[in-house]
Amino acid sequence: MPGVFAPLPPVPDHPALEREVLERWDAERTFERLREQNRAGPRFSFIDGPITANNPMGVHHAWGRTLKDVFQRYKAMRGFHQRYQNGFDCQGLWVEVEVEKALGLNSKREIEEYGLAEFAERCRERVAHFAEIITEQSKRLGMWMDWDADYYTFSDTNIEYIWRFLKVVHERGWLYQGHRATQWCPRCGTSISQHEVYSGEYKELDHPSLYVRFPLTDSEGESLVVWTTTPWTLPANVAAAVRPDAEYGRTAEGEWYAVGCLPDREFVERVTGADLVGRPYRGPFDDLAAADDVRHRVIPWDEISLDEGTGIVHIAPGAGAEDFELGRVHGLSVLIPIDESGAFYDTYGPLAGLAAEDAEGPVVESLRERELLVEAGRIVHRYPTCWRCSTPLLFRVVDDWFISAEEIRQPMLEANATVEWTPAFYSKRMDDWLRNMGDWNISRKRYFGLPLPFYPCACGHLTVIGSRDELERRALRGVDGLRELHRPWIDDVVIACEQCGEEVPRVPEVGDAWLDAGIVPLSTLGWQSDEVVPGGYGTGAAEGLTSADLPDHAYWEEWFPADWVSEMREQIRLWFYSISFMSVTMVGRAPYRRVLTFEKLQDETGREMHRSWGNAIAADEALDRMGADVVRLLFSEHVPSQNLRFGYGPAHEAKRRLLTLWNSASFFVTYANIEEWRPAWGQTPASEHSLDRWLVARTNRLLTDLTDAYERYWTPDVTRAFDAFVDDLSNWYIRRSRRRFWDGDTAAIETLWWSLVQAVRGIGPVMPFLADHVWRNLVAGACKEAPDSVFLAGWPEVGAVDEDLLAEVADVRRVVELGHQARGDTGIKLRQPLRRAYVRGADGARAHAAEIGDELNVKEVHFDEGPVARAQLKPNLRLLGPRLGQRLRDVKAALDADEYEELAGGGVQAAGEELAPDEVLRGERLAVEGFAVAQDDVTSVALDTALDEELLREGRVRELVHRLNAMRREVELELTDRIVVTLSAAEADLADGYEGWIKDETLAVEVRVGQTLAIEKV
Ligand SMILES: [Zn+2]
Ligand SMILES: [Zn+2]
């Protein structure tokens, strides 16, 4: 039978269905039409945090991209006009490191030999390549974006906007060059800023643990003992620190330690740390040229911990951050032992050229020879590594460029107070970060990144260039070859100092990549841009990659700040921080009104995903094997403030749950086709049948809940509301209405159609493929006037919710559930009718006695009578012991004997004592003779389990009908086929009195008696 609706297969093939929908969206320009439809609507401004176009998209990216798409789709269904601009992050260390790997380059020297122009070209190619791949993956995920108008952070336009920011920062006096010890990656050859150190991993690393003697030179035979895990820093030692208020002791061997560190040692002399301060000692590597002018001495330091080590700390200001600060306070020499690549400088004698980690052996050997080594062991401890290449970080003293955070801190805190965070507690996380943020280290000693427009002249004047125009005006030479604002081309441009007129080259450094992403709320929206330049954003390296316009200031006014942004929680100290920093600096406001943030993605056992551990799931694989809707459902149903366990197990479970919806749709299609029923677009059900009225109310409740959850940007409530609805639809409405569908009741068909359609519209943002697939079948294919996509149909109108009716049916369902539970406890099959059920505490169910009887297969349902199962009570000794003392024994005996009375409010009266609810512990419910009882806090259902002749016979009839229908399915009869039934002699008695029933229930035209039970199609 062809029918109006396409029959559904038993199980949906998600990936196949999704590819079909993608093709249709493409062919029918669904997204473009949606945008046209909403063009005059109210604005919803979303700003995309850029994804790094450096590798294929990972499943963790798919999480964020799903959430972005869910809410953009929801807003679109509500008629909002949106920008849909996707962003790619394109430059900086992450791209460089991958290109280095691909080219087999291993150091900065090798990059320079390869050639910076070639290197920049390769970086751009990599970005272009992966931008394309990520675009295809995102489309496959169902993400609707304006894919021809992406922003690329390496466009000259973006770079110029950052230059403007840097110029303003300089004018305000926040820009400075800092000489300080910073974490350094010897492989990448650059310093690593505070937020990057957090992004890196702390690894459990095995390091040496050395106790080293520093001989005091003012007293023969005495020495300080220090502890270190970084032998490479010993040649840079200039001081030893002690805690002035701590007690120090000298052993018989002449070694000084903090007493607190070695409480069991015997000391021949004890002094305070303050007494040791100022004493001179011989350094561990005094014979090296580097140590020539160093006068080693003991200095005070209050921060020394006595939990580990010796309480005497070796200080090397050129190789540690705290050491450097102490060095400043005490005017110590700064010995910088290692160069950019982490190798010792020439002035370090036999160590020259060795990598820091390779110096361990020679250092230990040399100390041992000179009898300075007290003890050498190993220690495994947590140690920071480079976030890009995993190399353990070192400390180096270098000159970096910083933006002072002091003046912007308070305005940023105030701006954050205007932002609504979801979940709300992340607002405080942001505040914490802002309160503690250090100055922003913006320089990287690298190649393919934002060229810092700093031109420091020998005369002391610093010129900061704010635009390409300005650069060209000020340039003495080099602009002719300036094809884009990147190294090496920009390095050829030399300007004249605005103070003294001397020639000044640019500093070699490039910028922190968070500058690139941080400027986006200004650069992509055309802040202070005079006119719209069509295609004007795709400049420099971005030329040819995007047709994004450069809008004008009026546009910026319309779209800034973003109504909503959404990124991972770690972006608090990265993107949320950098866009806030730059926006508050330039325009004095937060760049976003609302944020949804989410935690980390793990594998399904709760471990982090790593390609090298073999537990990572590639996004392509997830989309191909699970289907995009299922992937999106997993992300949407998850509470975003908790880590998400992602994998095939949860995906399988989600698919299984989706079957309930699928089966309901399939059920509808089956019976609607039998009746050749055809819907009209816009029709709403008007049936007066109580189940239909209930389903309409239930559907409106769903839409109310969904609207509320979407408006709160809280997808877990979206999926929870949807799941509960689907359960009600299938396990109540359809189950209760089966017979009406068999009978071809078009009111039921119409109501079910309407309800399914509304539900599918409501879940569309989460599962766009399934929703549009079902829409196509149930609506667009059947009604000519209907929009051809669910996304063009707008958000469904939500009717009034009949709360009383919903409450009634909720009561009924609770009674039925308890009734089933009680039956389950007795082991009496549902097909066996029972005589009576007694219900207490479900007032709403009173009008539905027949339905309850039908559901529970009982003849009579009585309200507010019948037995209640009492619980075995025990006294709460902790509370009652002190209160009752001797009398407790009587109370306990009364409770044991079940001699007590329940009081209103949950208390109990026993042995003349009134016991509060918390003074009794409720154990198992006691069985009631002759009844099966189940109850919750409010409601109890008791089934009379006595069976008489008549009940038993009816039970057999039901069993028979069940078998006959199973036989119908076995021989694959159509639902409408009629049969002749033959009963065996053993069942012959059932025809008497039940023949009509058997015929009705099995679509039989005749019931005969013969040898064996059989059916035959007529
Ligand atoms: Zn590195
Ligand atoms: Zn000058």
Side-chain angles (χ1 to χ4, degrees), residues 120-266:
E121 198 54 56
R122 296 293 90 75
C123 289
R124 183 188 180 277
E125 282 166 11
R126 184 175 182 92
V127 167
H129 175 69
F130 283 105
E132 213 168 296
I133 289 177
I134 292 170
T135 300
E136 286 315 308
Q137 294 178 302
S138 304
K139 287 180 181 170
R140 177 66 191 84
L141 180 66
M143 196 181 195
W144 267 352
M145 282 296 210
D146 188 352
W147 295 113
D148 296 327
D150 307 306
Y151 71 79
Y152 286 74
T153 59
F154 63 15
S155 92
D156 278 1
T157 307
N158 209 62
I159 289 170
E160 282 189 87
Y161 265 95
I162 302 166
W163 282 9
R164 269 164 102 172
F165 163 79
L166 293 171
K167 193 176 174 75
V168 167
V169 157
H170 177 48
E171 283 162 4
R172 296 208 189 149
W174 300 351
L175 184 69
Y176 69 93
Q177 199 174 18
H179 178 74
R180 59 171 69 175
T182 70
Q183 306 253 40
W184 184 270
C185 173
R187 201 220 64 88
C188 295
T190 187
S191 48
I192 299 292
S193 76
Q194 191 186 2
H195 53 245
E196 289 169 322
V197 172
Y198 288 120
S199 302
E201 232 190 305
Y202 273 75
K203 285 198 180 145
E204 298 278 327
L205 292 183
D206 177 70
H207 278 151
S209 161
L210 304 184
Y211 290 84
V212 180
R213 212 174 273 130
F214 290 174
L216 288 160
T217 51
D218 59 355
S219 176
E220 189 66 25
E222 288 185 33
S223 56
L224 308 165
V225 177
V226 300
W227 175 65
T228 182
T229 58
T230 50
W232 67 271
T233 62
L234 283 170
N237 174 271
V238 300
V242 295
R243 203 164 101 182
D245 64 349
E247 190 182 19
Y248 287 81
R250 180 165 58 85
T251 65
E253 296 79 35
E255 291 169 352
W256 285 96
Y257 297 92
V259 173
C261 293
L262 292 170
D264 300 333
R265 277 291 276 272
E266 261 181 45

Side-chain angles (χ1 to χ4, degrees), residues 202-496:
Y202 273 75
K203 285 198 180 145
E204 298 278 327
L205 292 183
D206 177 70
H207 278 151
S209 161
L210 304 184
Y211 290 84
V212 180
R213 212 174 273 130
F214 290 174
L216 288 160
T217 51
D218 59 355
S219 176
E220 189 66 25
E222 288 185 33
S223 56
L224 308 165
V225 177
V226 300
W227 175 65
T228 182
T229 58
T230 50
W232 67 271
T233 62
L234 283 170
N237 174 271
V238 300
V242 295
R243 203 164 101 182
D245 64 349
E247 190 182 19
Y248 287 81
R250 180 165 58 85
T251 65
E253 296 79 35
E255 291 169 352
W256 285 96
Y257 297 92
V259 173
C261 293
L262 292 170
D264 300 333
R265 277 291 276 272
E266 261 181 45
F267 295 104
V268 296
E269 183 189 354
R270 292 176 185 232
V271 299
T272 62
D275 297 326
L276 294 174
V277 169
R279 294 187 66 177
Y281 69 89
R282 202 164 68 238
F285 288 91
D286 273 1
D287 44 347
L288 296 180
D292 269 355
D293 299 322
V294 179
R295 298 282 161 266
H296 300 278
R297 62 188 162 93
V298 178
I299 59 166
W301 188 21
D302 291 328
E303 308 290 308
I304 294 175
S305 150
L306 302 182
D307 295 339
E308 57 178 9
T310 64
I312 305 175
V313 178
H314 135 68
I315 303 295
E322 290 166 317
D323 307 48
F324 184 78
E325 288 310 314
L326 275 175
R328 273 228 283 243
V329 173
H330 295 282
L332 304 177
S333 316
V334 177
L335 302 185
I336 302 174
I338 53 169
D339 66 12
E340 283 201 346
S341 64
F344 276 90
Y345 283 114
D346 286 348
T347 47
Y348 286 80
L351 300 173
L354 281 182
E357 69 205 53
D358 298 334
E360 180 196 336
V363 164
V364 169
E365 204 36 54
S366 165
L367 292 171
R368 201 187 306 270
E369 269 171 22
R370 291 179 289 131
E371 296 183 348
L372 296 178
L373 194 63
V374 180
E375 194 186 313
R378 309 294 301 175
I379 184 173
V380 174
H381 59 169
R382 284 164 53 74
Y383 194 85
T385 59
C386 175
W387 61 284
R388 265 293 93 190
C389 70
S390 290
T391 305
L393 298 179
L394 304 171
F395 270 97
R396 274 195 88 216
V397 174
V398 286
D399 290 331
D400 271 321
W401 292 89
F402 290 85
I403 300 174
S404 165
E406 277 324 300
E407 279 182 41
I408 199 71
R409 188 186 314 277
Q410 192 53 34
M412 283 180 79
L413 282 163
E414 283 159 22
N416 189 45
T418 68
V419 174
E420 197 173 332
W421 287 78
T422 311
F425 66 86
Y426 286 111
S427 174
K428 196 183 163 304
R429 296 272 182 89
M430 183 78 193
D431 275 354
D432 289 346
W433 169 257
L434 294 176
R435 286 208 177 86
N436 295 312
M437 69 176 168
D439 292 349
W440 188 353
N441 178 339
I442 56 165
S443 58
R444 301 290 179 272
K445 296 177 180 0
R446 297 290 307 186
Y447 307 103
F448 190 67
L450 159 84
L452 292 176
F454 303 157
Y455 295 80
C457 176
C459 79
H461 182 77
L462 170 65
T463 303
V464 176
I465 296 289
S467 69
R468 186 178 176 131
D469 263 3
E470 186 186 344
L471 180 69
E472 289 178 0
R473 277 202 315 278
R474 305 281 305 279
L476 295 174
R477 59 175 184 276
V479 282
D480 296 340
L482 187 57
R483 53 174 255 187
E484 63 187 63
L485 300 182
H486 277 115
R487 300 184 71 184
W489 306 283
I490 186 124
D491 294 342
D492 295 337
V493 182
V494 176
I495 68 161

Side-chain angles (χ1 to χ4, degrees), residues 398-643:
V398 286
D399 290 331
D400 271 321
W401 292 89
F402 290 85
I403 300 174
S404 165
E406 277 324 300
E407 279 182 41
I408 199 71
R409 188 186 314 277
Q410 192 53 34
M412 283 180 79
L413 282 163
E414 283 159 22
N416 189 45
T418 68
V419 174
E420 197 173 332
W421 287 78
T422 311
F425 66 86
Y426 286 111
S427 174
K428 196 183 163 304
R429 296 272 182 89
M430 183 78 193
D431 275 354
D432 289 346
W433 169 257
L434 294 176
R435 286 208 177 86
N436 295 312
M437 69 176 168
D439 292 349
W440 188 353
N441 178 339
I442 56 165
S443 58
R444 301 290 179 272
K445 296 177 180 0
R446 297 290 307 186
Y447 307 103
F448 190 67
L450 159 84
L452 292 176
F454 303 157
Y455 295 80
C457 176
C459 79
H461 182 77
L462 170 65
T463 303
V464 176
I465 296 289
S467 69
R468 186 178 176 131
D469 263 3
E470 186 186 344
L471 180 69
E472 289 178 0
R473 277 202 315 278
R474 305 281 305 279
L476 295 174
R477 59 175 184 276
V479 282
D480 296 340
L482 187 57
R483 53 174 255 187
E484 63 187 63
L485 300 182
H486 277 115
R487 300 184 71 184
W489 306 283
I490 186 124
D491 294 342
D492 295 337
V493 182
V494 176
I495 68 161
C497 171
E498 50 195 349
Q499 197 81 21
C500 71
E502 281 299 307
E503 269 190 36
V504 194
R506 194 185 71 85
V507 298
E509 282 91 347
V510 296
D512 177 12
W514 293 104
L515 290 166
D516 303 329
I519 201 67
V520 158
L522 303 176
S523 63
T524 61
L525 300 180
W527 178 68
Q528 287 195 353
S529 175
D530 297 333
E531 51 176 3
V532 179
V533 185
Y537 182 86
T539 49
E543 203 180 324
L545 295 179
T546 175
S547 62
D549 299 339
L550 177 62
D552 63 2
H553 191 74
Y555 183 91
W556 181 84
E557 293 273 4
E558 286 171 358
W559 292 97
F560 181 96
D563 291 306
W564 183 70
V565 292
S566 180
E567 305 292 336
M568 282 181 83
R569 190 252 298 158
E570 69 172 0
Q571 300 296 340
I572 283 176
R573 53 188 169 70
L574 300 171
W575 193 63
F576 296 138
Y577 152 77
S578 65
I579 58 173
S580 299
F581 197 114
M582 295 173 96
S583 285
V584 174
T585 298
M586 300 300 264
V587 303
R589 303 166 62 181
Y592 45 88
R593 293 196 169 99
R594 276 190 91 132
V595 193
L596 169 63
T597 185
F598 49 94
E599 288 292 327
K600 285 198 166 146
L601 185 137
Q602 304 169 329
D603 74 7
E604 56 187 85
T605 66
R607 288 199 315 160
E608 268 184 61
M609 278 193 188
H610 282 290
R611 246 170 287 178
S612 57
W613 294 356
N615 65 343
I617 300 176
D620 286 342
E621 184 196 307
L623 293 169
D624 280 351
R625 289 181 54 192
M626 300 173 185
D629 278 332
V630 171
V631 169
R632 294 171 65 115
L633 179 58
L634 291 177
F635 292 137
S636 299
E637 69 188 7
H638 180 74
V639 172
S641 52
Q642 294 163 5
N643 289 336

Side-chain angles (χ1 to χ4, degrees), residues 884-1011:
L884 297 180
Q886 288 296 320
R887 286 170 294 150
L888 178 60
R889 218 176 38 186
D890 297 340
V891 169
K892 185 173 183 307
L895 292 179
D896 281 349
D898 201 24
E899 286 165 6
Y900 65 88
E901 246 178 88
E902 301 266 7
L903 301 174
V908 158
Q909 170 124 16
E913 300 287 343
E914 257 186 42
L915 309 180
D918 61 341
E919 289 178 327
V920 286
L921 305 171
R922 288 172 186 271
E924 296 251 313
R925 303 238 175 234
L926 298 168
V928 183
E929 189 74 28
F931 288 89
V933 188
Q935 56 198 58
D936 59 20
D937 292 343
V938 200
T939 305
S940 78
V941 176
L943 303 177
D944 183 346
T945 52
L947 297 176
D948 55 34
E949 203 57 31
E950 192 197 341
L951 290 173
L952 287 167
R953 215 158 85 88
E954 192 183 321
R956 285 173 59 217
V957 174
R958 287 177 181 261
E959 195 62 47
L960 174 68
V961 165
H962 174 71
R963 280 174 63 200
L964 290 171
N965 280 328
M967 289 161 79
R968 284 186 63 111
R969 282 195 296 276
E970 268 163 37
V971 294
E972 295 178 1
L973 293 188
E974 292 287 330
L975 288 171
T976 47
D977 288 340
R978 305 275 147 172
I979 54 171
V980 170
V981 169
T982 307
L983 301 180
S984 70
E987 292 135 354
D989 66 308
L990 298 179
D992 186 16
Y994 289 106
E995 187 178 337
W997 188 3
I998 295 169
K999 281 181 175 170
D1000 282 354
E1001 295 291 320
T1002 62
L1003 288 192
V1005 292
E1006 194 188 340
V1007 178
R1008 301 175 190 156
V1009 177
Q1011 289 298 309

